[in-house]
Amino acid sequence: QVHFVESGGGLVQAGGSLRLSCAASGFTFSINSMGWFRQAPGKQRELVARIRASGSTNYADSVQGRFTISRDNAKNTVYLQMDSLKPEDTAVYYCNAATGWTYHYDSWGQGTQVTVSS
C-alpha cells in the first residue's frame, strides 16, 4: 500500500525558510519521479516541484529560484527546501509520485501546513 508522510511545515515570516520532508513507502521509490504539491484554501492542488529518477528537476514559475527539491533514495525520502518565502506560498504541502506534471497515486498523506506571515 502506497503511503506518504510529510513533515517540516510551520509558521514563518515572509523572507524566511523551511525544509519539508516526505517519507514514501509501498512502491519502488528510486525509479519514480517525485513531486511536491500544494493546496491553498479555495484553490486546486498544484505541482510546484518535480525530481526525476535521474535527479533532474523542474519547478513551477511561481517558485523557480526560491525552492529546491532533492531526494535520498536510500531513505525513500524527498525534500523541499523553501527559501525567500512569500505569503502566497501559504498552503498545505503534499508529496506524491509524479507522472508528467500531475500526481501518480490516488493515495495522499496528511500533508504539512506552511503558513507565511507578512
Side-chain angles (χ1 to χ4, degrees), residues 38 46-49 58-68 80-83 86 89 93 101:
R38 69 184 181 188
E46 62 173 347
L47 177 62
V48 297
N58 300 94
Y59 299 92
D61 289 344
S62 58
V63 307
Q64 179 76 47
R66 300 188 298 119
F67 290 9
T68 303
L80 188 67
Q81 177 67 41
M82 304 187 297
D83 299 316
K86 303 176 180 180
D89 295 319
Y93 285 71
W101 203 244

Side-chain angles (χ1 to χ4, degrees), residues 32-75:
N32 277 273
S33 295
M34 293 296 299
W36 278 98
F37 301 76
R38 69 184 181 188
Q39 187 167 22
K43 295 187 177 181
Q44 288 190 332
R45 195 168 298 185
E46 62 173 347
L47 177 62
V48 297
R50 179 186 66 187
I51 184 166
R52 291 187 172 91
S54 64
S56 65
T57 58
N58 300 94
Y59 299 92
D61 289 344
S62 58
V63 307
Q64 179 76 47
R66 300 188 298 119
F67 290 9
T68 303
I69 188 171
S70 61
R71 63 192 298 163
D72 184 337
N73 290 337
K75 296 181 178 179

Side-chain angles (χ1 to χ4, degrees), residues 1 4 14 18 29 31 46-47 54 59 68-69 72 76-77 102-103 118:
Q1 185 176 359
F4 302 103
L18 285 172
F29 180 86
I31 66 172
E46 62 173 347
L47 177 62
S54 64
Y59 299 92
T68 303
I69 188 171
D72 184 337
N76 283 8
T77 299
T102 188
Y103 62 90
S118 57

